[in-house]
Amino acid sequence: MEEALKGKIGSLKKRRISAVENVEGFLKVISHKNKAINAFLHVNEAAVEDAENVDKKLKKGASGRLAGLAIAVKSNINVTGLPITCASKTLEEYYGSYDADAIRKIRAEDGIIIGMTNMDEFACGNSGETSAFGSTDNPSAPGMIPGGTSSGSAAALAAGMCDLALGSDTGGSIRNPASHCGVVGIKPSYGRVSRFGLIDSAMSFDQIGAMAKDAYGCALLMEVMAGRSDYDATSVNAAVPEYTAHAKKTGQSIGNLRIGLSRDFERLCTDKRIYGMISGAAKSIAAKTSSKIVNVDLKYVDLSVQAYYPIQYVEFFSGTRKFDGRRYGKRIEDSCGEEVLRRILGGMEISKAEYQGTYYRKALMAKRLITRDFEDAFKKADVILLPTTPVLPHKLGAKITDLRTVYAYDAFTIPANLAGICAGVVGAGRIGGVPVGLQIMAPAFREELLLQVMAACEKPGGSDGGGENGRA
Ligand code: GLN
């Protein structure tokens, strides 16, 4: 809830609570609940000491924007001295030797790294079940998958184990678990946040992004992390707006928007109850903000999944060549799980000279068509609203043998990565007791607009505050 985080920041500043108390409170929850939920793979033993140092700064009135807040980090982002395993046996023994740009910026604002979270192995998956260290439970719908691949980060937030969390999103890995766990998450535009220190899944899609209980928390973390870095040539030199100023909860701050819905997404949505909830949310936000709903054509989005996977496989294959057993732990092919191996072998095959024209180049062409589709759509609409996943999460451990069914989970999240635009998720309500996230897309580098709309779409009770039938 916006007030909850904002209120806590105020209390820390006024020293009604100390950073140490805040961190110790979370450590207690983690020690009680983590065994069952498996959100954290590692807790930072230096967290309390770090908090003591932040308390000294708070006392002097010279603290940063994240002073005393506990931040959970996905296990594919480098943090000095902590195990950066990518939830894989391959990197079981690998400890970060430097801070990723995002971590360096968080520390500079006095945020406290509370621990490393569970995830799908090497960020390949969408259920949180491919981790070599066991799957994560969904605290908001126990027994169901939390979504992936940033499963541990979403679950840690939902279980009250941290204030904020970092995830990474290649094809939906922030938005999908945010939706299933009833929290809020944002995938920034490609190039908005430095990828330096993030272990690649597919370098042309990956972005580190923010996860929180509300849009305000995401805005705060984005404000700290965004911006160009000399260490990442793909990061873009564009001014970083004051995102927190835009993430006001009231609908009054926006008006006369053109809110896009697309029949092309409606068609792809297998569970009609989900689409019904999302279009209902769009109507209610339109009414609240005196905005109008427009239909946008996205005629190539049904190619998204077919375009994404060949590119992801090839880039993943290339990115994993460094895990040859000589520099970082074990040789990946000897130590990884089934899904990771599938992608390595598939990527190797697709990138063979004789197949490049058949798969890889065709996929790049489809990517271009989808990007253009969005450029046109954003001439008609300021933002586009759609579901996060076409179906509800399945039960943990349920065997889904058809790969196409597994990959179809990503049909609504992948398009934003292909087009390089920004997209976020806030809670829309619950169906059958399970949280359902509303996804909002905005043009590239319009995170301030995105966060503004996300905040306006949030329910007063926080992201997961909605009842069974969604919004009023
Ligand atoms: N599910 C997609 C994949 O497995 C996306 C994962 C991600 O965003 N890291 O590639």
Side-chain angles (χ1 to χ4, degrees):
M1 279 158 275
E2 181 184 348
E3 282 316 314
L5 188 73
K6 250 190 173 170
K8 183 185 277 186
I9 294 169
S11 301
L12 282 157
K13 283 244 152 71
K14 293 195 186 105
R15 308 192 48 242
R16 276 195 231 112
I17 57 161
S18 68
V20 168
E21 280 163 345
N22 187 38
V23 166
E24 281 180 339
F26 286 125
L27 292 175
K28 209 177 269 170
V29 180
I30 295 171
S31 76
H32 285 153
K33 294 195 192 168
N34 195 53
K35 218 171 166 185
I37 295 173
N38 203 16
F40 281 93
L41 293 178
H42 183 87
V43 173
N44 182 9
E45 275 150 29
V48 174
E49 198 184 314
D50 291 349
E52 281 165 4
N53 290 330
V54 172
D55 274 330
K56 283 182 202 145
K57 290 194 181 177
L58 280 160
K59 202 165 172 183
K60 283 195 229 144
S63 57
R65 281 176 284 180
L66 299 174
L69 298 180
I71 296 146
V73 180
K74 187 173 179 178
S75 290
N76 60 353
I77 300 171
N78 272 280
V79 182
T80 311
L82 297 190
I84 316 302
T85 61
C86 289
S88 178
K89 296 264 183 206
T90 306
L91 294 179
E92 208 170 9
E93 321 270 325
Y94 172 65
Y95 283 73
S97 56
Y98 67 105
D99 279 345
D101 273 331
I103 300 296
R104 185 178 48 76
K105 289 180 164 188
I106 286 170
R107 288 201 207 271
E109 294 294 338
D110 298 321
I112 293 156
I113 308 301
I114 190 151
M116 305 304 297
T117 56
N118 206 352
M119 56 185 279
D120 282 295
E121 186 177 19
F122 280 106
C124 295
N126 47 31
S127 69
E129 296 174 298
T130 71
S131 164
F133 307 116
S135 49
T136 299
D137 198 0
N138 183 338
S140 302
M144 306 302 254
I145 55 160
T149 63
S150 310
S151 42
S153 291
L157 283 163
M161 297 170 166
C162 58
D163 290 303
L164 298 167
L166 291 193
S168 68
D169 193 310
T170 314
S173 281
I174 286 177
R175 290 161 286 159
N176 170 322
S179 175
H180 291 349
C181 290
V183 301
V184 178
I186 174 169
K187 180 209 90 75
S189 316
Y190 188 75
R192 182 73 288 196
V193 174
S194 165
R195 288 182 301 113
F196 176 70
L198 169 69
I199 297 175
D200 305 315
S201 161
M203 43 280 220
S204 70
F205 299 137
D206 296 335
Q207 271 290 286
I208 293 176
M211 305 177 81
K213 298 276 258 189
D214 58 15
Y216 180 83
C218 285
L220 180 62
L221 207 43
M222 280 299 299
E223 213 168 272
V224 169
M225 294 193 298
R228 206 195 99 76
S229 160
D230 286 343
Y231 298 115
D232 175 5
T234 62
S235 65
V236 169
N237 197 4
V240 178
E242 216 182 298
Y243 294 133
T244 44
H246 290 88
K248 298 256 167 57
K249 202 171 209 99
T250 61
Q252 279 99 44
S253 58
I254 50 172
N256 296 317
L257 283 181
R258 297 164 304 163
I259 294 178
L261 285 177
S262 176
R263 292 193 190 99
D264 299 296
F265 286 129
E266 185 172 6
R267 235 183 321 111
L268 290 173
C269 194
T270 325
D271 189 329
K272 300 298 167 204
R273 294 171 301 173
I274 296 180
Y275 203 86
M277 182 174 270
I278 298 313
S279 59
K283 280 178 201 133
S284 97
I285 189 68
K288 189 166 142 195
T289 60
S290 317
S291 297
K292 63 169 188 258
I293 295 198
V294 295
N295 179 61
V296 292
D297 289 326
L298 290 160
K299 49 189 177 307
Y300 293 112
V301 284
D302 56 341
L303 297 177
S304 297
V305 173
Q306 290 101 308
Y308 169 84
Y309 277 97
I311 301 174
Q312 199 277 342
Y313 273 37
V314 167
E315 291 188 11
F316 183 67
F317 167 64
S318 141
T320 54
R321 294 310 79 206
K322 59 182 167 286
F323 304 121
D324 55 6
R326 277 178 287 186
R327 277 166 291 185
Y328 311 94
K330 306 184 185 79
R331 182 172 172 259
I332 191 165
E333 289 85 347
D334 299 336
S335 49
C336 69
E338 191 190 334
E339 182 59 31
V340 167
L341 190 59
R342 186 194 337 273
R343 295 182 190 214
I344 291 174
L345 299 178
M348 184 165 38
E349 205 56 29
I350 295 169
S351 50
K352 280 186 183 155
E354 68 262 39
Y355 294 132
Q356 270 185 26
T358 322
Y359 301 111
Y360 187 66
R361 254 179 254 137
K362 285 228 172 75
L364 288 178
M365 275 160 65
K367 175 181 189 268
R368 185 74 211 118
L369 290 172
I370 291 162
T371 306
R372 271 200 218 129
D373 246 6
F374 275 102
E375 282 164 8
D376 289 343
F378 284 125
K379 286 178 192 149
K380 286 196 199 144
D382 299 298
V383 288
I384 298 169
L385 270 51
L386 71 160
T388 312
T389 57
V391 290
L392 292 175
H394 57 261
K395 286 209 177 80
L396 272 167
K399 271 268 162 277
I400 302 171
T401 44
D402 180 11
L403 205 57
R404 273 171 308 185
T405 311
V406 176
Y407 286 178
Y409 243 74
D410 304 326
F412 294 154
T413 46
I414 280 173
N417 303 77
L418 290 172
I421 60 176
C422 54
V425 166
V426 297
R430 285 181 175 242
I431 295 175
V434 180
V436 170
L438 162 68
Q439 184 180 187
I440 303 161
M441 291 172 164
F445 295 93
R446 294 300 311 279
E447 278 83 0
E448 81 296 343
L449 171 67
L450 173 62
L451 285 157
Q452 200 169 14
V453 178
M454 283 167 68
C457 289
E458 251 171 351
K459 280 186 286 291
S463 182
D464 192 26
E468 188 63 20
N469 298 313
R471 23 196 349 115

